[in-house]
Amino acid sequence: MPSMTDEAQQNEAIVSVRDLRLRFGEREILHGISFDVRRYETLVILGGSGSGKSTLLRALVSLEKPSAGEIWVKGKNIAQVSGAEMDEIRKKLGMSFQGGALFGSLTVGENVALPLREHTKLEDLTIQIIVRLKLEQVGLAGFEDYMPSQLSGGMKKRAAVARAMAMDPEMLFFDEPSAGLDPIIAAGIDNLILKLKKAFRISIVVVTHELASAFLIADRVLLLDKGDIVALGTREELRENTHPRVRQFLNRIAEPEVFEELDYLQMLTEKHRPRRR
Amino acid sequence: MPVLGLGGISAPSLLCIRRDTCGLVAEEAVEVTVRVGRATLDSLAYLGGLARLGGRAAYFTFVAPWQGRRLRLDRAAHQAMVVGLQALPILSLITFFIGVILALQSAYELRKFGALHYVSGAVAISMTRELGPLMTAIVVIGRSGSAFAAEIGTMKVTEELDALETMALNPVQFLVTPKFLAMVVMLPCLTTWADLMGILGGALFGVAKAGFTFTSYLRSSLDALYLRDISTGLIKSLMFGMTITAVGCHEGFSTGAGAEEVGRSTTAAVVMSIFLVIAVDLIFTALFYFTGAH
Ligand SMILES: Nc1ncnc2c1ncn2[C@@H]1O[C@H](COP(=O)(O)OP(=O)(O)OP(=O)(O)O)[C@@H](O)[C@H]1O
Ligand SMILES: [Mg+2]
């Protein structure tokens, strides 16, 4: 909008989450959380294992249905839109899954081409050019004809990013982009995200439990703990945060040991530690 | 105790004498009822799930193309190759053997009446009406039904199904429809082929032991057959095709988390498909019998 100042546009929310609750059966995983993803920012969702990061990310792309609350994406509450409307929104989103989730029966090139083939009327030749371009952007030029099973873990992640970028999305979502990779390859993925952030006007949401990576790529960091937001702010704000859970997470202090399964599950997802017995 | 006041009192509590046993019997009866009820509901829900999946696949195959949605003929053709062409060698061998076996078994009885020349008709009718469609279905279950469950189940475990959804691609349209189309076309074709191979198997016995020449055996087979023998068999095979696709894909979609779950789905798909194919067989055979299409 022309009347907006540059800064106002920067602060405009492209995703707004309001009081989001999500439960699987009896267990509530997300306990009513609210935050915004601003246009063109990179938001990193940080948190311990089982804190509900993936669940939150899946809710943002409507793979999980909230049990209460609202998720506004580009002005539509995706908790309530119809399937057709959701599909329109999804064409503007790119998602890269924890394991890559490339289609094993298609080549890398066909994987990247798939959304273009299905959603556009582009000529085959044009699609091939776009595919080559996207693969180049993620450093996989020339791997069009490889099968996903022939790629290493890091290459799969890159190919998945290329596929997520195929439709030139306005938003990119990453689930654990560097999980299961050696530090050098992981750093390479971080650099890739930084590169995408610089090269394209795009909002990025990254879920990770890697502190270093979070502080490298984030404009703002959201610290999720047992299904609640304990901190949300810039890197500097987070470093100065004195909340005990934030300190504990940033200083990598170990959790007290828990031996009972139920206690463990509750520890992961609930605010207050159970006092049983 | 208001013995006559039936309102709100279950049958078992009317039968018992002492209070404590009364409670026990009633409790047990309630528990059994609940369990039977739950099992019935589960089965109905399962069948409902199958029907919905089959219905959606049929919609994407037959209706959606007229509304401007693309039908993936290239994928369907690829599936048809896998389901159909690649099944031919094993199917041919099995149904040929079945033909020989049928001839031997019928000859055992027919010989007593000196009616050995009826063996051609017996084989032809049993093959086209029953064993052709059924054996084809069994082979296709083993080869393709299980493969559908494994393919979709693996995609579920590796989040590929989620990836499809985030790319705004409908998993049913994308994965099930080509399979559905391929099965609906290929099963009747395979069944026709199986019928033929069975008759050839019968001919082996007929020529060797029952005094037929090859052409006279074929001619007498054709004479014994009515068009409705063949058509009822093909209608059944069409139903089998839909059943196998629905079960295989449904099991794939309902795979839980973890690779070992894929194995469970595959097994379940095979067992459930065999059961349902035979149930469908029974229903349609009875239907054809009582509506006079026999
Ligand atoms: N489909 C599901 N059904 C039931 N419970 C689930 C399901 N998915 C996740 N959970 C539970 O929700 C909790 C949060 O899971 P989630 O995957 O969001 O954690 P996470 O923060 O991504 O952890 P990690 O870092 O290990 O990936 C876990 O305790 C898990 O057991
Ligand atoms: Mg996760």
Side-chain angles (χ1 to χ4, degrees):
Chain A
M1 268 169 264
S3 62
M4 272 186 171
T5 61
D6 225 29
E7 196 180 343
Q9 204 175 4
Q10 289 276 318
N11 287 334
E12 187 193 345
I14 190 158
V15 178
S16 296
V17 177
R18 290 293 171 266
D19 202 30
L20 169 68
R21 290 174 184 276
L22 203 149
R23 56 170 68 245
F24 291 119
E26 292 291 285
R27 285 176 62 213
E28 190 172 76
I29 309 296
L30 301 172
H31 312 298
I33 61 180
S34 306
F35 66 94
D36 287 344
V37 182
R38 296 175 190 159
R39 192 170 288 258
Y40 311 135
E41 81 166 341
T42 300
L43 178 74
V44 172
I45 300 175
L46 198 60
S49 219
S51 55
K53 307 183 297 291
S54 298
T55 308
L56 174 56
L57 196 70
R58 291 170 60 84
L60 293 185
V61 295
S62 190
L63 284 174
E64 305 287 355
K65 213 160 176 43
S67 34
E70 297 163 1
I71 303 171
W72 296 87
V73 179
K74 287 174 62 67
K76 295 230 171 77
N77 181 2
I78 63 170
Q80 275 165 8
V81 297
S82 70
E85 274 179 304
M86 192 60 224
D87 279 351
E88 283 313 306
I89 296 174
R90 277 175 168 157
K91 287 178 193 168
K92 305 259 184 257
L93 312 179
M95 169 101 173
S96 146
F97 288 85
Q98 199 157 345
L102 297 171
F103 301 118
S105 54
L106 303 179
T107 66
V108 171
E110 287 167 346
N111 262 285
V112 180
L114 185 66
L116 298 165
R117 290 235 163 84
E118 294 296 322
H119 294 312
T120 68
K121 294 194 162 62
L122 295 174
E123 303 261 328
D124 240 21
L125 206 64
T126 320
I127 291 181
Q128 275 174 28
I129 294 170
I130 298 177
V131 167
R132 196 175 313 149
L133 217 70
K134 298 291 171 189
L135 284 176
E136 247 164 50
Q137 279 166 6
V138 299
L140 280 181
F143 284 91
E144 280 96 332
D145 294 329
Y146 279 60
M147 295 308 283
S149 55
Q150 294 171 301
L151 300 185
S152 73
M155 290 157 88
K156 272 185 204 154
K157 290 259 167 80
R158 286 171 181 274
V161 176
R163 186 179 67 183
M165 295 285 294
M167 296 278 288
D168 292 322
E170 295 172 24
M171 274 168 281
L172 261 185
F173 297 87
F174 290 87
D175 194 0
E176 306 272 4
S178 45
L181 302 177
D182 75 49
I184 296 170
I185 306 282
I189 301 273
D190 287 345
N191 281 335
L192 172 64
I193 295 174
L194 281 173
K195 202 178 97 186
L196 294 176
K197 181 175 152 179
K198 280 207 199 90
F200 303 94
R201 303 265 277 171
I202 193 168
S203 312
I204 302 180
V205 179
V206 181
V207 156
T208 185
H209 55 248
E210 308 259 345
L211 274 177
S213 147
F215 278 87
L216 185 66
I217 58 183
D219 293 321
R220 290 193 305 153
V221 179
L222 185 161
L223 183 62
L224 197 64
D225 182 38
K226 299 167 190 171
D228 272 306
I229 298 179
V230 285
L232 172 60
T234 61
R235 294 174 273 191
E236 293 69 33
E237 284 167 356
L238 201 70
R239 281 210 187 86
E240 281 153 23
N241 196 315
T242 53
H243 189 291
R245 287 298 290 181
V246 179
R247 297 317 323 158
Q248 189 187 11
F249 196 84
L250 296 193
N251 299 330
R252 303 165 189 254
I253 298 168
E255 285 280 349
E257 293 231 23
V258 188
F259 293 103
E260 286 206 9
E261 182 194 30
L262 202 64
D263 286 352
Y264 183 68
L265 288 177
Q266 288 187 344
M267 182 190 84
L268 289 181
T269 50
E270 268 156 43
K271 238 184 291 190
H272 307 290
R273 289 285 305 286
R275 294 235 183 282
R276 306 198 320 156
R277 264 159 306 173
Chain B
M1 221 162 55
V3 179
L4 291 175
L6 279 172
I9 298 188
S10 64
S13 69
L14 292 173
L15 297 175
C16 54
I17 306 150
R18 270 176 38 206
R19 244 229 161 110
D20 48 342
T21 51
C22 178
L24 269 181
V25 171
E27 223 166 78
E28 219 161 86
V30 166
E31 197 184 312
V32 169
T33 318
V34 164
R35 216 177 302 152
V36 170
R38 192 166 295 150
T40 314
L41 284 182
D42 284 351
S43 319
L44 286 180
Y46 186 86
L47 289 182
L50 288 186
R52 217 174 50 222
L53 185 60
R56 292 218 292 157
Y59 167 80
F60 283 122
T61 312
F62 301 119
V63 183
W66 305 105
Q67 302 173 338
R69 296 225 212 183
R70 237 183 304 170
L71 184 60
R72 318 185 49 86
L73 282 177
D74 50 335
R75 290 179 157 259
H78 170 76
Q79 287 289 343
M81 291 290 283
V82 180
V83 169
L85 232 49
Q86 293 176 18
L88 273 185
I90 184 71
L91 180 68
S92 308
L93 206 59
I94 289 179
T95 44
F96 184 83
F97 287 172
I98 292 281
V100 180
I101 294 169
L102 271 180
L104 288 169
Q105 295 283 31
S106 355
Y108 172 75
E109 191 65 12
L110 290 172
R111 199 168 43 187
K112 293 183 192 161
F113 307 103
L116 209 51
H117 55 284
Y118 281 122
V119 81
S120 59
V123 170
I125 291 172
S126 326
M127 264 334 273
T128 51
R129 291 187 71 97
E130 185 59 49
L131 284 164
L134 193 60
M135 292 317 293
T136 306
I138 301 282
V139 169
V140 170
I141 288 170
R143 283 178 38 85
S144 304
S146 57
F148 292 172
E151 179 194 333
I152 296 179
T154 307
M155 291 184 76
K156 170 105 180 237
V157 170
T158 56
E159 295 186 300
E160 285 169 55
L161 291 184
D162 293 335
L164 272 182
E165 278 194 51
T166 56
M167 291 157 84
L169 297 175
N170 181 321
V172 174
Q173 182 182 14
F174 193 78
L175 295 170
V176 182
T177 305
K179 297 178 170 55
F180 184 83
L181 187 55
M183 292 283 269
V184 163
V185 172
M186 287 320 279
L187 265 228
C189 295
L190 284 176
T191 300
T192 309
W193 180 258
D195 292 348
L196 203 71
M197 292 309 289
I199 291 172
L200 286 184
L204 180 68
F205 173 83
V207 172
K209 286 286 171 202
F212 284 101
T213 65
F214 185 65
T215 40
S216 73
Y217 184 93
L218 286 191
R219 188 167 308 120
S220 104
S221 295
L222 282 181
D223 285 345
L225 281 180
Y226 287 96
L227 188 61
R228 60 173 173 262
D229 294 324
I230 300 173
S231 64
T232 53
L234 292 186
I235 290 174
K236 276 194 206 171
S237 76
L238 194 68
M239 294 300 147
F240 294 168
M242 295 188 194
T243 309
I244 298 168
T245 318
V247 174
C249 296
H250 186 274
E251 287 296 336
F253 282 122
S254 49
T255 303
E260 64 285 349
E261 285 292 310
V262 177
R264 194 208 55 78
S265 306
T266 314
T267 314
V270 171
V271 175
M272 199 37 114
S273 297
I274 291 180
F275 171 73
L276 283 180
V277 155
I278 292 191
V280 167
D281 193 356
L282 174 63
I283 291 169
F284 273 83
T285 308
L287 207 67
F288 292 144
Y289 182 82
F290 291 114
T291 56
H294 51 93

PDB file of all heavy atoms in Angstrom, chain A residues 48-50 52-55 98 175-176 207 209, ligand 2:
ATOM      1  N   GLY A  48      12.434 -26.997  22.945  1.00  0.00           N
ATOM      2  CA  GLY A  48      12.946 -28.329  23.207  1.00  0.00           C
ATOM      3  C   GLY A  48      12.176 -29.388  22.444  1.00  0.00           C
ATOM      4  O   GLY A  48      11.145 -29.111  21.838  1.00  0.00           O
ATOM      5  N   SER A  49      12.693 -30.599  22.478  1.00  0.00           N
ATOM      6  CA  SER A  49      12.038 -31.702  21.788  1.00  0.00           C
ATOM      7  C   SER A  49      10.661 -31.944  22.410  1.00  0.00           C
ATOM      8  O   SER A  49      10.525 -31.937  23.626  1.00  0.00           O
ATOM      9  CB  SER A  49      12.906 -32.951  21.917  1.00  0.00           C
ATOM     10  OG  SER A  49      12.873 -33.640  20.707  1.00  0.00           O
ATOM     11  N   GLY A  50       9.672 -32.096  21.581  1.00  0.00           N
ATOM     12  CA  GLY A  50       8.334 -32.387  22.090  1.00  0.00           C
ATOM     13  C   GLY A  50       7.598 -31.179  22.625  1.00  0.00           C
ATOM     14  O   GLY A  50       6.527 -31.312  23.212  1.00  0.00           O
ATOM     15  N   GLY A  52       6.162 -28.975  20.935  1.00  0.00           N
ATOM     16  CA  GLY A  52       5.024 -28.660  20.074  1.00  0.00           C
ATOM     17  C   GLY A  52       5.374 -27.796  18.880  1.00  0.00           C
ATOM     18  O   GLY A  52       4.491 -27.262  18.217  1.00  0.00           O
ATOM     19  N   LYS A  53       6.661 -27.695  18.558  1.00  0.00           N
ATOM     20  CA  LYS A  53       7.092 -26.843  17.441  1.00  0.00           C
ATOM     21  C   LYS A  53       6.522 -27.329  16.119  1.00  0.00           C
ATOM     22  O   LYS A  53       5.922 -26.560  15.366  1.00  0.00           O
ATOM     23  CB  LYS A  53       8.626 -26.827  17.328  1.00  0.00           C
ATOM     24  CG  LYS A  53       9.354 -26.455  18.600  1.00  0.00           C
ATOM     25  CD  LYS A  53      10.851 -26.387  18.372  1.00  0.00           C
ATOM     26  CE  LYS A  53      11.477 -27.715  17.967  1.00  0.00           C
ATOM     27  NZ  LYS A  53      11.498 -28.738  19.005  1.00  0.00           N
ATOM     28  N   SER A  54       6.723 -28.628  15.843  1.00  0.00           N
ATOM     29  CA  SER A  54       6.228 -29.150  14.564  1.00  0.00           C
ATOM     30  C   SER A  54       4.720 -29.040  14.492  1.00  0.00           C
ATOM     31  O   SER A  54       4.158 -28.697  13.444  1.00  0.00           O
ATOM     32  CB  SER A  54       6.635 -30.611  14.393  1.00  0.00           C
ATOM     33  OG  SER A  54       8.028 -30.734  14.372  1.00  0.00           O
ATOM     34  N   THR A  55       4.072 -29.313  15.614  1.00  0.00           N
ATOM     35  CA  THR A  55       2.615 -29.224  15.643  1.00  0.00           C
ATOM     36  C   THR A  55       2.165 -27.808  15.314  1.00  0.00           C
ATOM     37  O   THR A  55       1.234 -27.604  14.530  1.00  0.00           O
ATOM     38  CB  THR A  55       2.100 -29.641  17.030  1.00  0.00           C
ATOM     39  OG1 THR A  55       2.659 -30.917  17.349  1.00  0.00           O
ATOM     40  CG2 THR A  55       0.595 -29.734  17.049  1.00  0.00           C
ATOM     41  N   GLN A  98      10.649 -32.052   7.674  1.00  0.00           N
ATOM     42  CA  GLN A  98      11.815 -32.500   8.422  1.00  0.00           C
ATOM     43  C   GLN A  98      12.652 -33.505   7.626  1.00  0.00           C
ATOM     44  O   GLN A  98      13.860 -33.414   7.568  1.00  0.00           O
ATOM     45  CB  GLN A  98      11.352 -33.118   9.744  1.00  0.00           C
ATOM     46  CG  GLN A  98      12.434 -33.210  10.785  1.00  0.00           C
ATOM     47  CD  GLN A  98      11.863 -33.291  12.210  1.00  0.00           C
ATOM     48  OE1 GLN A  98      10.691 -33.009  12.435  1.00  0.00           O
ATOM     49  NE2 GLN A  98      12.684 -33.661  13.156  1.00  0.00           N
ATOM     50  N   ASP A 175      10.645 -27.122   8.615  1.00  0.00           N
ATOM     51  CA  ASP A 175      10.651 -27.907   9.847  1.00  0.00           C
ATOM     52  C   ASP A 175      12.032 -28.524  10.007  1.00  0.00           C
ATOM     53  O   ASP A 175      12.440 -29.346   9.190  1.00  0.00           O
ATOM     54  CB  ASP A 175       9.574 -28.997   9.803  1.00  0.00           C
ATOM     55  CG  ASP A 175       9.335 -29.593  11.185  1.00  0.00           C
ATOM     56  OD1 ASP A 175      10.004 -29.166  12.143  1.00  0.00           O
ATOM     57  OD2 ASP A 175       8.464 -30.478  11.298  1.00  0.00           O
ATOM     58  N   GLU A 176      12.753 -28.107  11.035  1.00  0.00           N
ATOM     59  CA  GLU A 176      14.071 -28.656  11.355  1.00  0.00           C
ATOM     60  C   GLU A 176      14.958 -28.776  10.113  1.00  0.00           C
ATOM     61  O   GLU A 176      15.336 -29.876   9.733  1.00  0.00           O
ATOM     62  CB  GLU A 176      13.926 -30.052  11.977  1.00  0.00           C
ATOM     63  CG  GLU A 176      12.999 -30.107  13.168  1.00  0.00           C
ATOM     64  CD  GLU A 176      13.696 -29.823  14.487  1.00  0.00           C
ATOM     65  OE1 GLU A 176      14.908 -29.499  14.459  1.00  0.00           O
ATOM     66  OE2 GLU A 176      13.024 -29.912  15.521  1.00  0.00           O
ATOM     67  N   VAL A 207      11.408 -23.805  12.110  1.00  0.00           N
ATOM     68  CA  VAL A 207      11.340 -24.510  13.382  1.00  0.00           C
ATOM     69  C   VAL A 207      12.674 -25.204  13.608  1.00  0.00           C
ATOM     70  O   VAL A 207      13.185 -25.867  12.701  1.00  0.00           O
ATOM     71  CB  VAL A 207      10.218 -25.565  13.351  1.00  0.00           C
ATOM     72  CG1 VAL A 207      10.487 -26.657  14.356  1.00  0.00           C
ATOM     73  CG2 VAL A 207       8.878 -24.915  13.639  1.00  0.00           C
ATOM     74  N   HIS A 209      15.680 -26.695  16.896  1.00  0.00           N
ATOM     75  CA  HIS A 209      16.112 -26.682  18.286  1.00  0.00           C
ATOM     76  C   HIS A 209      17.603 -26.345  18.378  1.00  0.00           C
ATOM     77  O   HIS A 209      18.219 -26.470  19.423  1.00  0.00           O
ATOM     78  CB  HIS A 209      15.783 -27.999  18.991  1.00  0.00           C
ATOM     79  CG  HIS A 209      16.339 -29.197  18.304  1.00  0.00           C
ATOM     80  ND1 HIS A 209      15.542 -30.130  17.685  1.00  0.00           N
ATOM     81  CD2 HIS A 209      17.595 -29.608  18.131  1.00  0.00           C
ATOM     82  CE1 HIS A 209      16.298 -31.052  17.156  1.00  0.00           C
ATOM     83  NE2 HIS A 209      17.553 -30.768  17.412  1.00  0.00           N
TER      84      HIS A 209
HETATM   85 MG    MG C   2       9.439 -31.648  15.273  1.00  0.00          MG
END
